[in-house]
Amino acid sequence: MSDQKYGPQTAEIESLIAKIATLTDEQVQALEAAWYAAWDDAWNAALDSALDAIWNASLNDALDATWEGDLDSSWNAARYAILALLVRDIITPEQFEVLYDPWKSVMEVKR
């Protein structure tokens, strides 16, 4: 049986947390830009739904993996990507995308 520390999305969350420690300055800046671009009413609705659903210790694990640089917005992008993964099965796909897309737009760019 696999480790379900963070529920069914454990592998995705642990992968995201591992990436936090390796962010480049350029990725931190891009995450900041993506974070501010996503901030609107749809984002707030998705966040409210996710926060009502669950809050988990994975956020503390992610904080332990922080990087130097501008942490405010880039940390928020990572934190809410983790939150989106935690609650993926109990929020709508649209809400998931709103919370996860700032991270995805920077960290999961297809080459």
Side-chain angles (χ1 to χ4, degrees):
M1 184 170 164
S2 64
D3 178 22
Q4 294 290 305
K5 182 176 181 181
Y6 306 121
Q9 294 79 231
T10 295
E12 289 176 284
I13 292 168
E14 288 176 342
S15 175
L16 192 151
I17 290 169
K19 288 179 185 177
I20 292 170
T22 65
L23 290 176
T24 66
D25 289 339
E26 292 79 18
Q27 288 170 321
V28 170
Q29 291 171 2
L31 281 171
E32 179 179 17
W35 171 255
Y36 283 117
W39 193 277
D40 63 17
D41 290 338
W43 186 91
N44 285 325
L47 175 61
D48 288 345
S49 293
L51 288 176
D52 287 344
I54 191 169
W55 197 263
N56 195 294
S58 66
L59 300 180
N60 291 328
D61 291 349
L63 184 56
D64 292 341
T66 56
W67 56 93
E68 294 191 22
D70 181 5
L71 295 179
D72 293 338
S73 298
S74 53
W75 164 243
N76 284 333
R79 180 170 54 152
Y80 290 112
I82 292 168
L83 180 61
L85 291 170
L86 280 169
V87 299
R88 176 187 256 168
D89 57 330
I90 55 177
I91 61 176
T92 68
E94 293 80 14
Q95 290 170 328
F96 175 83
E97 288 176 20
V98 168
L99 293 172
Y100 192 78
D101 277 356
W103 175 266
K104 180 180 178 181
S105 71
V106 174
M107 301 304 296
E108 296 181 15
V109 176
K110 294 189 181 199
R111 301 186 198 280

